[in-house]
Amino acid sequence: MGTRKILIIDDEADIRAVAQLSLEINQDWEVITAPSGTEGFQLACDQMPDAILLDVMMPDLDGPATWELLQADAKTQAIPVIFLTAKVQAAEQRRYAELGVKAVLTKPFDPVLLGDLIVEALNW
């Protein structure tokens, strides 16, 4: 299967750090991180990750706006995206899923299970 490269875009440093450690230790994946949608989009273009974990609520460029940027660019539109959100209401989850993201994971997440949830969501 080879090593997967995952991009985590989240404005919370703690979330980035926990997710990165979890995926590196439990899945042996290469993880790159970005603190904003703008930086994340640039990293996605430069690094071409196998998947992106994207926080929904961020200042400036939020998750849905970053998703639109990724979809508008031919280079990044095929990268699977999983939203991370603290909003757990069914209507919001449905709205995010209707955008076309591969899955919506809720925060806080269990670091031990994070890699398995990604594997399941992306049928890896």
Side-chain angles (χ1 to χ4, degrees), residues 5 10 20 37 72 75 78 86 95 105 112:
K5 184 188 298 185
D10 197 304
Q20 180 172 8
K75 192 172 178 184
R95 184 171 68 86
L105 301 179
V112 175

Side-chain angles (χ1 to χ4, degrees), residues 5-106:
K5 184 188 298 185
I6 308 296
L7 170 58
I8 301 168
I9 305 171
D10 197 304
D11 61 315
E12 294 179 54
D14 291 349
I15 297 287
R16 289 193 312 272
V18 168
Q20 180 172 8
L21 274 174
S22 166
L23 298 177
E24 288 175 346
I25 291 169
N26 296 325
Q27 299 292 333
D28 198 30
W29 291 341
E30 177 185 346
V31 179
I32 50 179
T33 66
S36 70
T38 304
E39 279 185 53
F41 174 70
Q42 193 58 54
L43 269 175
C45 291
D46 294 343
Q47 299 283 323
M48 294 305 295
D50 295 298
I52 297 172
L53 288 182
L54 178 56
D55 184 22
V56 170
M57 292 178 53
M58 294 184 291
D60 302 323
L61 199 61
D62 67 2
T66 304
W67 162 253
E68 287 178 17
L69 268 182
L70 291 163
Q71 289 302 291
D73 192 302
K75 192 172 178 184
T76 57
Q77 64 187 191
I79 301 170
V81 173
I82 297 173
F83 273 165
L84 285 174
T85 183
K87 295 188 172 196
V88 294
Q89 286 82 13
E92 288 170 329
Q93 295 262 351
R94 259 194 317 280
R95 184 171 68 86
Y96 299 146
E98 287 169 1
L99 290 174
V101 296
K102 293 293 181 187
V104 179
L105 301 179
T106 56

